[in-house]
Amino acid sequence: MGTVHARSLEPLPANGPDFGALGEEAEFVEVEPEAKQEILENKDVVVQHVHFDGLGRTKDDIIICEIGDVFKAKNLIEVMRKSHEAREKLLRLGIFRQVDVLIDTCQGDDALPNGLDVTFEVTELRRLTGSYNTMVGNNEGSMVLGLKLPNLLGRAEKVTFQFSYGTKETSYGLSFFKPRPGNFERNFSVNLYKVTGQFPWSSLRETDRGVSAEYSFPIWKTSHTIKWEGVWRELGCLSRSASFAVRKESGHSLKSSLSHAMVIDSRNSSILPRRGALLKVNQELAGYTGGDVSFIKEDFELQLNKQLLFDSVFSASLWGGMLVPIGDKPSSIADRFYLGGPTSVRGFGMHSVGPQSEGDYLGGEAYWAGGLHLYTPLPFRPGQGLNAGNLCNLNYGEGPKAHIRKLAECIRWSYGAGIVLRLGNIARLELNYCVPMGVQKGDKICDGVQFGAGIRFL
Amino acid sequence: MIFDWCQRINVSPCFCLIPAIIRISHWLHFKSGKVPFIHVGNQVVSELGPIVQFVKAKGHSLSDGLDEVQKAEMKAYMELVNNMLLTAELYLQWCDETTVGEITHARYGSPYPWPLNHILAYQKQWEVKRKMKAIGWGNKTLDQVLEDVDQCCQALSQRLGTQPYFFNKQPTELDALVFGHLYTILTTQLTNDELSEKVKNYSNLLAFCRRIEQHYFEDRGKGSSSIRSS
């Protein structure tokens, strides 16, 4: 009897960009031909046993949930497909370095003539992995230490710790992640962090110390996340020449907020998608669970990508958001929206559009931004683009018609061309030359070539 | 608040500003960092030294009438006040456990919501205690601190004598500084009245404070907390 070694099959249609990466590894299927050429795919089979080799600290119940479907396969092709899916699910848990699948006929006393044994050979990840990097940027050097404890208690719990020690600032983050056994998309995580950011466009320095707890779950094709976050924010001035409007905002504040986010993502990649669409809607309510900052914030992100002739891609995106402070206190500079820069409306300076005071940009309570891009199939995907957007503060005494009118007048927009470089699956680099138009008094523009790096681009 | 003062005062702005600023400097937590500060037009100037310089640059100075020897003496007394009175006030607020527990902690954390009020108060207390240790006051007891305050007040009282102000008949920056500190000590309610008692022992200092308060503050309708004479 011949044996079938199935390492992995052709990538099957998968949900979300993360799956795509796993399926792009080298694949091959090797079948040793038998003397008798049976039509294997039509042969009825029964999966009698599923073995696991190499389990150490992993508990049985989460494994059983992931491979349950393998037993339901009725013929050989289904067995191969279900085994492949089970392998993908096991890898997604993030607890194995390698998973190999071996399908063989059943041996032994209780073996049926059409019985099959499926064996998963797994290698667990080490208990503790560490990483050490040095980073240089923005006149600051820092060393970053990372520690990861995968599969802490045997059910795919993960603890990660990152510590960054720099010449100017220190930050750290500790995170605990736990998926629900059998249902990886339902997961829970708790994070503790301290991050410092410097925002030269507002002459502002912000230190956030916070704790957050979030729970994610899928509903049909959408992914929802409910999060509570408590942040102690300390704002300060970055230079002696900071404007008084920014100085007034400095000090300590505590934000305790509940937020809900919904994501539908059918793109093939989140960094440089060729097809698919993304819709992200996020709501945040602050102030009712403590703290001294009170607001409702709503923002959305929509992106559509379509592949055209000769592998060129047409991409359209729309962003928008609104912040409504509750009560008498005005909104804080740390909560408002910003517009402009190589990752948003290109051609304008980084976050340098909208209300400002003596050169410091204060952000706005409502904004919208849209972009249309055409990427050609040449190397580095040179493309043309059109960006537009507006940012303003709203006077909530007026009605919604007045708000829409305010956002529709004095639109900033730009057109230009550029090239795009993809950095693995992590980030995107862009080099653009854009001509800004509709520039209002106070906006800062970027004359010439603009370089941008990031993960979220308009 | 501060720039309201700037606009209302048209006579010897320097003098009036400084005690007002010092009076509130210890008890409020300003968001900009260092207090006292003034905001004039586009500029923000903080701390006493730079404020005096700034006002001098604008053409007003209280110590113009002094000669070099007197100016040096004035600087010396100002240093004494800063080193003694200021440190004693900080000690009493932050290192005396009864005061901290009953008054300072609650007052310092009052603008903030829970748990930030406790976190910031403890953080400030730790900072002040560290500073005390650095200048050698870490092991001083309350009685020793009160002794030092007494000695400082004695020196000031001797310098003042029977004159209306420390130098001649005109107020100088030293008068403003001393008034600011003494006024704060006399009018702030604490669990422990010993500090204000020490000051009250010197009747000429008490009269000095009363005189300035009447002349510069009550006249302009600001008499929110006045010196209680025991």
Side-chain angles (χ1 to χ4, degrees), chain A residues 209 232 235 240 244 247-254 291-292 358, chain B residues 3 29 31 37 39 42 44 112-116 119-120 123:
Chain A
R209 295 171 181 87
W232 163 19
L235 296 171
R240 296 195 66 97
F244 202 68
R247 281 184 195 272
K248 271 202 297 200
E249 304 256 13
S250 5
H252 300 268
S253 71
L254 187 69
D292 57 2
E358 296 162 42
Chain B
F3 39 96
H29 178 80
K31 291 180 173 182
F37 77 96
H39 179 219
N42 244 10
V44 176
Y112 305 106
W114 181 90
L116 210 51
I119 296 175
L120 291 175
Q123 196 182 48

PDB file of all heavy atoms in Angstrom, chain A residues 209 232 235 240 244 247-254 291-292 358, chain B residues 3 29 31 37 39 42 44 112-116 119-120 123:
ATOM      1  N   ARG A 209       0.385  56.234  30.719  1.00  0.00           N
ATOM      2  CA  ARG A 209       0.559  55.004  31.493  1.00  0.00           C
ATOM      3  C   ARG A 209      -0.821  54.410  31.573  1.00  0.00           C
ATOM      4  O   ARG A 209      -1.734  55.054  32.087  1.00  0.00           O
ATOM      5  CB  ARG A 209       1.076  55.302  32.896  1.00  0.00           C
ATOM      6  CG  ARG A 209       2.462  55.903  32.919  1.00  0.00           C
ATOM      7  CD  ARG A 209       2.799  56.379  34.323  1.00  0.00           C
ATOM      8  NE  ARG A 209       4.104  56.977  34.396  1.00  0.00           N
ATOM      9  CZ  ARG A 209       4.380  58.256  34.158  1.00  0.00           C
ATOM     10  NH1 ARG A 209       3.420  59.074  33.814  1.00  0.00           N
ATOM     11  NH2 ARG A 209       5.610  58.715  34.260  1.00  0.00           N
ATOM     12  N   TRP A 232      -3.511  57.128  32.301  1.00  0.00           N
ATOM     13  CA  TRP A 232      -3.075  58.331  32.998  1.00  0.00           C
ATOM     14  C   TRP A 232      -2.189  59.071  32.006  1.00  0.00           C
ATOM     15  O   TRP A 232      -1.123  58.609  31.645  1.00  0.00           O
ATOM     16  CB  TRP A 232      -2.315  57.933  34.253  1.00  0.00           C
ATOM     17  CG  TRP A 232      -1.477  59.024  34.851  1.00  0.00           C
ATOM     18  CD1 TRP A 232      -1.565  60.376  34.659  1.00  0.00           C
ATOM     19  CD2 TRP A 232      -0.390  58.840  35.746  1.00  0.00           C
ATOM     20  NE1 TRP A 232      -0.609  61.025  35.378  1.00  0.00           N
ATOM     21  CE2 TRP A 232       0.119  60.125  36.067  1.00  0.00           C
ATOM     22  CE3 TRP A 232       0.195  57.721  36.348  1.00  0.00           C
ATOM     23  CZ2 TRP A 232       1.194  60.303  36.934  1.00  0.00           C
ATOM     24  CZ3 TRP A 232       1.260  57.901  37.204  1.00  0.00           C
ATOM     25  CH2 TRP A 232       1.750  59.175  37.495  1.00  0.00           C
ATOM     26  N   LEU A 235       0.675  65.456  29.870  1.00  0.00           N
ATOM     27  CA  LEU A 235       1.065  66.253  28.708  1.00  0.00           C
ATOM     28  C   LEU A 235       2.039  67.317  29.136  1.00  0.00           C
ATOM     29  O   LEU A 235       1.898  67.914  30.207  1.00  0.00           O
ATOM     30  CB  LEU A 235      -0.178  66.917  28.098  1.00  0.00           C
ATOM     31  CG  LEU A 235      -1.224  65.982  27.519  1.00  0.00           C
ATOM     32  CD1 LEU A 235      -2.476  66.753  27.168  1.00  0.00           C
ATOM     33  CD2 LEU A 235      -0.701  65.295  26.288  1.00  0.00           C
ATOM     34  N   ARG A 240      10.582  75.580  24.759  1.00  0.00           N
ATOM     35  CA  ARG A 240      10.261  76.816  25.465  1.00  0.00           C
ATOM     36  C   ARG A 240       9.340  77.711  24.646  1.00  0.00           C
ATOM     37  O   ARG A 240       8.723  78.607  25.168  1.00  0.00           O
ATOM     38  CB  ARG A 240      11.549  77.584  25.764  1.00  0.00           C
ATOM     39  CG  ARG A 240      12.490  76.854  26.693  1.00  0.00           C
ATOM     40  CD  ARG A 240      13.528  77.831  27.193  1.00  0.00           C
ATOM     41  NE  ARG A 240      12.894  78.839  28.017  1.00  0.00           N
ATOM     42  CZ  ARG A 240      12.836  78.808  29.342  1.00  0.00           C
ATOM     43  NH1 ARG A 240      13.368  77.812  29.983  1.00  0.00           N
ATOM     44  NH2 ARG A 240      12.243  79.758  30.016  1.00  0.00           N
ATOM     45  N   PHE A 244       0.802  79.256  24.139  1.00  0.00           N
ATOM     46  CA  PHE A 244       0.082  79.161  25.412  1.00  0.00           C
ATOM     47  C   PHE A 244      -1.100  78.203  25.316  1.00  0.00           C
ATOM     48  O   PHE A 244      -1.472  77.572  26.300  1.00  0.00           O
ATOM     49  CB  PHE A 244      -0.382  80.545  25.870  1.00  0.00           C
ATOM     50  CG  PHE A 244      -0.631  80.605  27.346  1.00  0.00           C
ATOM     51  CD1 PHE A 244       0.422  80.512  28.239  1.00  0.00           C
ATOM     52  CD2 PHE A 244      -1.914  80.698  27.862  1.00  0.00           C
ATOM     53  CE1 PHE A 244       0.210  80.529  29.601  1.00  0.00           C
ATOM     54  CE2 PHE A 244      -2.136  80.734  29.224  1.00  0.00           C
ATOM     55  CZ  PHE A 244      -1.073  80.652  30.099  1.00  0.00           C
ATOM     56  N   ARG A 247       0.347  75.054  26.214  1.00  0.00           N
ATOM     57  CA  ARG A 247       0.736  75.036  27.627  1.00  0.00           C
ATOM     58  C   ARG A 247      -0.455  74.814  28.538  1.00  0.00           C
ATOM     59  O   ARG A 247      -0.372  74.151  29.560  1.00  0.00           O
ATOM     60  CB  ARG A 247       1.406  76.354  28.011  1.00  0.00           C
ATOM     61  CG  ARG A 247       2.827  76.447  27.578  1.00  0.00           C
ATOM     62  CD  ARG A 247       3.457  77.733  28.085  1.00  0.00           C
ATOM     63  NE  ARG A 247       4.688  77.960  27.374  1.00  0.00           N
ATOM     64  CZ  ARG A 247       5.860  77.478  27.760  1.00  0.00           C
ATOM     65  NH1 ARG A 247       5.959  76.758  28.841  1.00  0.00           N
ATOM     66  NH2 ARG A 247       6.941  77.723  27.048  1.00  0.00           N
ATOM     67  N   LYS A 248      -1.585  75.405  28.128  1.00  0.00           N
ATOM     68  CA  LYS A 248      -2.788  75.262  28.954  1.00  0.00           C
ATOM     69  C   LYS A 248      -3.229  73.808  29.042  1.00  0.00           C
ATOM     70  O   LYS A 248      -3.889  73.411  29.980  1.00  0.00           O
ATOM     71  CB  LYS A 248      -3.945  76.065  28.332  1.00  0.00           C
ATOM     72  CG  LYS A 248      -4.002  77.479  28.801  1.00  0.00           C
ATOM     73  CD  LYS A 248      -5.375  78.076  28.634  1.00  0.00           C
ATOM     74  CE  LYS A 248      -5.788  78.138  27.190  1.00  0.00           C
ATOM     75  NZ  LYS A 248      -6.857  79.112  26.970  1.00  0.00           N
ATOM     76  N   GLU A 249      -2.893  73.038  28.015  1.00  0.00           N
ATOM     77  CA  GLU A 249      -3.318  71.640  28.005  1.00  0.00           C
ATOM     78  C   GLU A 249      -2.409  70.743  28.813  1.00  0.00           C
ATOM     79  O   GLU A 249      -2.713  69.582  29.033  1.00  0.00           O
ATOM     80  CB  GLU A 249      -3.322  71.123  26.552  1.00  0.00           C
ATOM     81  CG  GLU A 249      -4.167  71.919  25.619  1.00  0.00           C
ATOM     82  CD  GLU A 249      -5.460  71.219  25.301  1.00  0.00           C
ATOM     83  OE1 GLU A 249      -5.799  70.244  25.986  1.00  0.00           O
ATOM     84  OE2 GLU A 249      -6.137  71.660  24.365  1.00  0.00           O
ATOM     85  N   SER A 250      -1.250  71.278  29.227  1.00  0.00           N
ATOM     86  CA  SER A 250      -0.332  70.375  29.920  1.00  0.00           C
ATOM     87  C   SER A 250      -0.842  70.042  31.299  1.00  0.00           C
ATOM     88  O   SER A 250      -1.641  70.744  31.890  1.00  0.00           O
ATOM     89  CB  SER A 250       1.070  70.937  30.041  1.00  0.00           C
ATOM     90  OG  SER A 250       1.176  72.216  29.575  1.00  0.00           O
ATOM     91  N   GLY A 251      -0.346  68.926  31.801  1.00  0.00           N
ATOM     92  CA  GLY A 251      -0.768  68.488  33.113  1.00  0.00           C
ATOM     93  C   GLY A 251      -1.214  67.042  33.065  1.00  0.00           C
ATOM     94  O   GLY A 251      -0.992  66.343  32.085  1.00  0.00           O
ATOM     95  N   HIS A 252      -1.855  66.627  34.116  1.00  0.00           N
ATOM     96  CA  HIS A 252      -2.258  65.243  34.231  1.00  0.00           C
ATOM     97  C   HIS A 252      -3.740  65.105  33.968  1.00  0.00           C
ATOM     98  O   HIS A 252      -4.518  65.951  34.371  1.00  0.00           O
ATOM     99  CB  HIS A 252      -1.970  64.724  35.646  1.00  0.00           C
ATOM    100  CG  HIS A 252      -0.538  64.802  36.026  1.00  0.00           C
ATOM    101  ND1 HIS A 252       0.355  63.778  35.828  1.00  0.00           N
ATOM    102  CD2 HIS A 252       0.170  65.807  36.594  1.00  0.00           C
ATOM    103  CE1 HIS A 252       1.542  64.139  36.262  1.00  0.00           C
ATOM    104  NE2 HIS A 252       1.461  65.362  36.736  1.00  0.00           N
ATOM    105  N   SER A 253      -4.098  64.020  33.327  1.00  0.00           N
ATOM    106  CA  SER A 253      -5.524  63.723  33.210  1.00  0.00           C
ATOM    107  C   SER A 253      -5.694  62.218  33.167  1.00  0.00           C
ATOM    108  O   SER A 253      -4.757  61.481  32.845  1.00  0.00           O
ATOM    109  CB  SER A 253      -6.128  64.385  31.973  1.00  0.00           C
ATOM    110  OG  SER A 253      -5.671  63.763  30.807  1.00  0.00           O
ATOM    111  N   LEU A 254      -6.868  61.785  33.497  1.00  0.00           N
ATOM    112  CA  LEU A 254      -7.145  60.355  33.552  1.00  0.00           C
ATOM    113  C   LEU A 254      -8.304  60.056  32.624  1.00  0.00           C
ATOM    114  O   LEU A 254      -9.370  60.644  32.738  1.00  0.00           O
ATOM    115  CB  LEU A 254      -7.517  59.973  34.990  1.00  0.00           C
ATOM    116  CG  LEU A 254      -7.687  58.491  35.294  1.00  0.00           C
ATOM    117  CD1 LEU A 254      -6.350  57.806  35.222  1.00  0.00           C
ATOM    118  CD2 LEU A 254      -8.275  58.299  36.665  1.00  0.00           C
ATOM    119  N   GLY A 291     -12.422  58.746  35.729  1.00  0.00           N
ATOM    120  CA  GLY A 291     -11.567  59.671  34.995  1.00  0.00           C
ATOM    121  C   GLY A 291     -12.158  61.059  34.912  1.00  0.00           C
ATOM    122  O   GLY A 291     -13.277  61.318  35.370  1.00  0.00           O
ATOM    123  N   ASP A 292     -11.410  61.973  34.323  1.00  0.00           N
ATOM    124  CA  ASP A 292     -11.904  63.338  34.227  1.00  0.00           C
ATOM    125  C   ASP A 292     -12.024  63.803  32.782  1.00  0.00           C
ATOM    126  O   ASP A 292     -12.114  64.983  32.507  1.00  0.00           O
ATOM    127  CB  ASP A 292     -10.998  64.291  35.016  1.00  0.00           C
ATOM    128  CG  ASP A 292      -9.549  64.233  34.566  1.00  0.00           C
ATOM    129  OD1 ASP A 292      -9.242  63.476  33.618  1.00  0.00           O
ATOM    130  OD2 ASP A 292      -8.724  64.935  35.163  1.00  0.00           O
ATOM    131  N   GLU A 358       0.070  79.875  16.895  1.00  0.00           N
ATOM    132  CA  GLU A 358       1.502  80.198  16.839  1.00  0.00           C
ATOM    133  C   GLU A 358       2.341  79.038  16.301  1.00  0.00           C
ATOM    134  O   GLU A 358       3.419  78.742  16.813  1.00  0.00           O
ATOM    135  CB  GLU A 358       2.035  80.573  18.227  1.00  0.00           C
ATOM    136  CG  GLU A 358       1.422  81.834  18.790  1.00  0.00           C
ATOM    137  CD  GLU A 358       1.646  81.919  20.287  1.00  0.00           C
ATOM    138  OE1 GLU A 358       2.766  81.591  20.736  1.00  0.00           O
ATOM    139  OE2 GLU A 358       0.699  82.280  20.996  1.00  0.00           O
TER     140      GLU A 358
ATOM    141  N   PHE B   3      -2.418  86.772  34.891  1.00  0.00           N
ATOM    142  CA  PHE B   3      -2.391  87.939  34.023  1.00  0.00           C
ATOM    143  C   PHE B   3      -3.529  88.907  34.298  1.00  0.00           C
ATOM    144  O   PHE B   3      -3.487  90.042  33.897  1.00  0.00           O
ATOM    145  CB  PHE B   3      -2.284  87.597  32.530  1.00  0.00           C
ATOM    146  CG  PHE B   3      -3.059  86.417  32.087  1.00  0.00           C
ATOM    147  CD1 PHE B   3      -4.309  86.552  31.536  1.00  0.00           C
ATOM    148  CD2 PHE B   3      -2.512  85.141  32.178  1.00  0.00           C
ATOM    149  CE1 PHE B   3      -5.001  85.450  31.089  1.00  0.00           C
ATOM    150  CE2 PHE B   3      -3.207  84.041  31.737  1.00  0.00           C
ATOM    151  CZ  PHE B   3      -4.450  84.196  31.202  1.00  0.00           C
ATOM    152  N   HIS B  29      -1.324  73.560  42.083  1.00  0.00           N
ATOM    153  CA  HIS B  29      -0.478  72.822  41.164  1.00  0.00           C
ATOM    154  C   HIS B  29      -0.757  73.316  39.767  1.00  0.00           C
ATOM    155  O   HIS B  29      -1.761  72.989  39.177  1.00  0.00           O
ATOM    156  CB  HIS B  29      -0.786  71.334  41.283  1.00  0.00           C
ATOM    157  CG  HIS B  29      -0.002  70.511  40.337  1.00  0.00           C
ATOM    158  ND1 HIS B  29       1.301  70.156  40.556  1.00  0.00           N
ATOM    159  CD2 HIS B  29      -0.322  69.993  39.136  1.00  0.00           C
ATOM    160  CE1 HIS B  29       1.733  69.443  39.548  1.00  0.00           C
ATOM    161  NE2 HIS B  29       0.781  69.312  38.672  1.00  0.00           N
ATOM    162  N   LYS B  31      -0.316  73.670  35.779  1.00  0.00           N
ATOM    163  CA  LYS B  31      -0.006  72.658  34.796  1.00  0.00           C
ATOM    164  C   LYS B  31       1.267  72.938  34.025  1.00  0.00           C
ATOM    165  O   LYS B  31       1.786  72.061  33.369  1.00  0.00           O
ATOM    166  CB  LYS B  31      -1.160  72.550  33.799  1.00  0.00           C
ATOM    167  CG  LYS B  31      -2.391  71.952  34.449  1.00  0.00           C
ATOM    168  CD  LYS B  31      -3.519  71.842  33.461  1.00  0.00           C
ATOM    169  CE  LYS B  31      -4.677  71.084  34.075  1.00  0.00           C
ATOM    170  NZ  LYS B  31      -5.759  70.906  33.139  1.00  0.00           N
ATOM    171  N   PHE B  37       4.544  81.948  37.708  1.00  0.00           N
ATOM    172  CA  PHE B  37       4.833  82.354  36.338  1.00  0.00           C
ATOM    173  C   PHE B  37       3.911  83.495  35.937  1.00  0.00           C
ATOM    174  O   PHE B  37       2.858  83.688  36.521  1.00  0.00           O
ATOM    175  CB  PHE B  37       4.657  81.178  35.367  1.00  0.00           C
ATOM    176  CG  PHE B  37       3.227  80.856  35.028  1.00  0.00           C
ATOM    177  CD1 PHE B  37       2.641  81.364  33.874  1.00  0.00           C
ATOM    178  CD2 PHE B  37       2.482  80.042  35.843  1.00  0.00           C
ATOM    179  CE1 PHE B  37       1.327  81.056  33.552  1.00  0.00           C
ATOM    180  CE2 PHE B  37       1.167  79.741  35.522  1.00  0.00           C
ATOM    181  CZ  PHE B  37       0.596  80.241  34.380  1.00  0.00           C
ATOM    182  N   HIS B  39       2.272  85.491  32.401  1.00  0.00           N
ATOM    183  CA  HIS B  39       2.035  85.359  30.961  1.00  0.00           C
ATOM    184  C   HIS B  39       1.759  86.749  30.434  1.00  0.00           C
ATOM    185  O   HIS B  39       0.722  87.335  30.729  1.00  0.00           O
ATOM    186  CB  HIS B  39       0.832  84.440  30.742  1.00  0.00           C
ATOM    187  CG  HIS B  39       0.484  84.264  29.302  1.00  0.00           C
ATOM    188  ND1 HIS B  39      -0.802  84.197  28.846  1.00  0.00           N
ATOM    189  CD2 HIS B  39       1.267  84.132  28.200  1.00  0.00           C
ATOM    190  CE1 HIS B  39      -0.809  84.033  27.539  1.00  0.00           C
ATOM    191  NE2 HIS B  39       0.442  83.980  27.123  1.00  0.00           N
ATOM    192  N   ASN B  42       2.923  87.346  24.373  1.00  0.00           N
ATOM    193  CA  ASN B  42       3.347  86.082  23.814  1.00  0.00           C
ATOM    194  C   ASN B  42       4.258  85.286  24.723  1.00  0.00           C
ATOM    195  O   ASN B  42       4.596  84.152  24.428  1.00  0.00           O
ATOM    196  CB  ASN B  42       4.134  86.372  22.527  1.00  0.00           C
ATOM    197  CG  ASN B  42       3.418  85.808  21.340  1.00  0.00           C
ATOM    198  OD1 ASN B  42       2.286  85.372  21.456  1.00  0.00           O
ATOM    199  ND2 ASN B  42       4.079  85.808  20.213  1.00  0.00           N
ATOM    200  N   VAL B  44       5.916  83.655  28.248  1.00  0.00           N
ATOM    201  CA  VAL B  44       5.630  83.072  29.557  1.00  0.00           C
ATOM    202  C   VAL B  44       6.934  83.061  30.333  1.00  0.00           C
ATOM    203  O   VAL B  44       7.930  82.524  29.869  1.00  0.00           O
ATOM    204  CB  VAL B  44       5.103  81.629  29.400  1.00  0.00           C
ATOM    205  CG1 VAL B  44       4.909  80.986  30.754  1.00  0.00           C
ATOM    206  CG2 VAL B  44       3.805  81.624  28.637  1.00  0.00           C
ATOM    207  N   TYR B 112      -7.722  66.147  40.838  1.00  0.00           N
ATOM    208  CA  TYR B 112      -7.664  64.956  40.001  1.00  0.00           C
ATOM    209  C   TYR B 112      -8.646  63.895  40.445  1.00  0.00           C
ATOM    210  O   TYR B 112      -8.982  63.782  41.616  1.00  0.00           O
ATOM    211  CB  TYR B 112      -6.256  64.359  40.035  1.00  0.00           C
ATOM    212  CG  TYR B 112      -5.198  65.353  39.643  1.00  0.00           C
ATOM    213  CD1 TYR B 112      -4.352  65.910  40.589  1.00  0.00           C
ATOM    214  CD2 TYR B 112      -5.086  65.776  38.319  1.00  0.00           C
ATOM    215  CE1 TYR B 112      -3.406  66.845  40.233  1.00  0.00           C
ATOM    216  CE2 TYR B 112      -4.146  66.712  37.958  1.00  0.00           C
ATOM    217  CZ  TYR B 112      -3.315  67.245  38.913  1.00  0.00           C
ATOM    218  OH  TYR B 112      -2.388  68.168  38.564  1.00  0.00           O
ATOM    219  N   PRO B 113      -9.065  63.055  39.502  1.00  0.00           N
ATOM    220  CA  PRO B 113      -9.977  61.979  39.873  1.00  0.00           C
ATOM    221  C   PRO B 113      -9.212  60.825  40.506  1.00  0.00           C
ATOM    222  O   PRO B 113      -7.995  60.716  40.360  1.00  0.00           O
ATOM    223  CB  PRO B 113     -10.572  61.556  38.522  1.00  0.00           C
ATOM    224  CG  PRO B 113      -9.498  61.854  37.544  1.00  0.00           C
ATOM    225  CD  PRO B 113      -8.752  63.054  38.065  1.00  0.00           C
ATOM    226  N   TRP B 114      -9.953  59.952  41.154  1.00  0.00           N
ATOM    227  CA  TRP B 114      -9.335  58.755  41.712  1.00  0.00           C
ATOM    228  C   TRP B 114      -8.874  57.883  40.562  1.00  0.00           C
ATOM    229  O   TRP B 114      -9.593  57.754  39.585  1.00  0.00           O
ATOM    230  CB  TRP B 114     -10.360  58.024  42.574  1.00  0.00           C
ATOM    231  CG  TRP B 114      -9.803  56.798  43.210  1.00  0.00           C
ATOM    232  CD1 TRP B 114      -9.189  56.714  44.420  1.00  0.00           C
ATOM    233  CD2 TRP B 114      -9.761  55.486  42.639  1.00  0.00           C
ATOM    234  NE1 TRP B 114      -8.790  55.439  44.650  1.00  0.00           N
ATOM    235  CE2 TRP B 114      -9.119  54.665  43.578  1.00  0.00           C
ATOM    236  CE3 TRP B 114     -10.201  54.932  41.445  1.00  0.00           C
ATOM    237  CZ2 TRP B 114      -8.907  53.305  43.361  1.00  0.00           C
ATOM    238  CZ3 TRP B 114      -9.988  53.576  41.228  1.00  0.00           C
ATOM    239  CH2 TRP B 114      -9.345  52.779  42.183  1.00  0.00           C
ATOM    240  N   PRO B 115      -7.795  57.144  40.557  1.00  0.00           N
ATOM    241  CA  PRO B 115      -6.791  57.079  41.617  1.00  0.00           C
ATOM    242  C   PRO B 115      -5.645  58.062  41.437  1.00  0.00           C
ATOM    243  O   PRO B 115      -4.667  58.011  42.174  1.00  0.00           O
ATOM    244  CB  PRO B 115      -6.273  55.645  41.459  1.00  0.00           C
ATOM    245  CG  PRO B 115      -6.346  55.393  39.997  1.00  0.00           C
ATOM    246  CD  PRO B 115      -7.493  56.202  39.463  1.00  0.00           C
ATOM    247  N   LEU B 116      -5.800  58.954  40.467  1.00  0.00           N
ATOM    248  CA  LEU B 116      -4.702  59.860  40.170  1.00  0.00           C
ATOM    249  C   LEU B 116      -4.368  60.764  41.360  1.00  0.00           C
ATOM    250  O   LEU B 116      -3.212  61.148  41.555  1.00  0.00           O
ATOM    251  CB  LEU B 116      -5.096  60.717  38.958  1.00  0.00           C
ATOM    252  CG  LEU B 116      -3.989  61.195  38.050  1.00  0.00           C
ATOM    253  CD1 LEU B 116      -3.106  60.078  37.618  1.00  0.00           C
ATOM    254  CD2 LEU B 116      -4.593  61.896  36.853  1.00  0.00           C
ATOM    255  N   ILE B 119      -1.963  58.849  43.558  1.00  0.00           N
ATOM    256  CA  ILE B 119      -0.683  58.584  42.890  1.00  0.00           C
ATOM    257  C   ILE B 119       0.171  59.844  42.848  1.00  0.00           C
ATOM    258  O   ILE B 119       1.350  59.826  43.206  1.00  0.00           O
ATOM    259  CB  ILE B 119      -0.917  58.078  41.452  1.00  0.00           C
ATOM    260  CG1 ILE B 119      -1.649  56.750  41.465  1.00  0.00           C
ATOM    261  CG2 ILE B 119       0.410  57.924  40.721  1.00  0.00           C
ATOM    262  CD1 ILE B 119      -2.018  56.256  40.087  1.00  0.00           C
ATOM    263  N   LEU B 120      -0.441  60.954  42.439  1.00  0.00           N
ATOM    264  CA  LEU B 120       0.343  62.178  42.312  1.00  0.00           C
ATOM    265  C   LEU B 120       0.792  62.701  43.669  1.00  0.00           C
ATOM    266  O   LEU B 120       1.912  63.196  43.812  1.00  0.00           O
ATOM    267  CB  LEU B 120      -0.470  63.240  41.574  1.00  0.00           C
ATOM    268  CG  LEU B 120      -0.697  62.938  40.099  1.00  0.00           C
ATOM    269  CD1 LEU B 120      -1.602  63.970  39.492  1.00  0.00           C
ATOM    270  CD2 LEU B 120       0.611  62.886  39.340  1.00  0.00           C
ATOM    271  N   GLN B 123       3.649  60.637  44.795  1.00  0.00           N
ATOM    272  CA  GLN B 123       4.817  60.926  43.959  1.00  0.00           C
ATOM    273  C   GLN B 123       5.481  62.219  44.417  1.00  0.00           C
ATOM    274  O   GLN B 123       6.696  62.303  44.553  1.00  0.00           O
ATOM    275  CB  GLN B 123       4.345  61.060  42.507  1.00  0.00           C
ATOM    276  CG  GLN B 123       5.459  60.970  41.503  1.00  0.00           C
ATOM    277  CD  GLN B 123       4.933  61.147  40.088  1.00  0.00           C
ATOM    278  OE1 GLN B 123       4.172  62.059  39.804  1.00  0.00           O
ATOM    279  NE2 GLN B 123       5.333  60.276  39.199  1.00  0.00           N
TER     280      GLN B 123
END
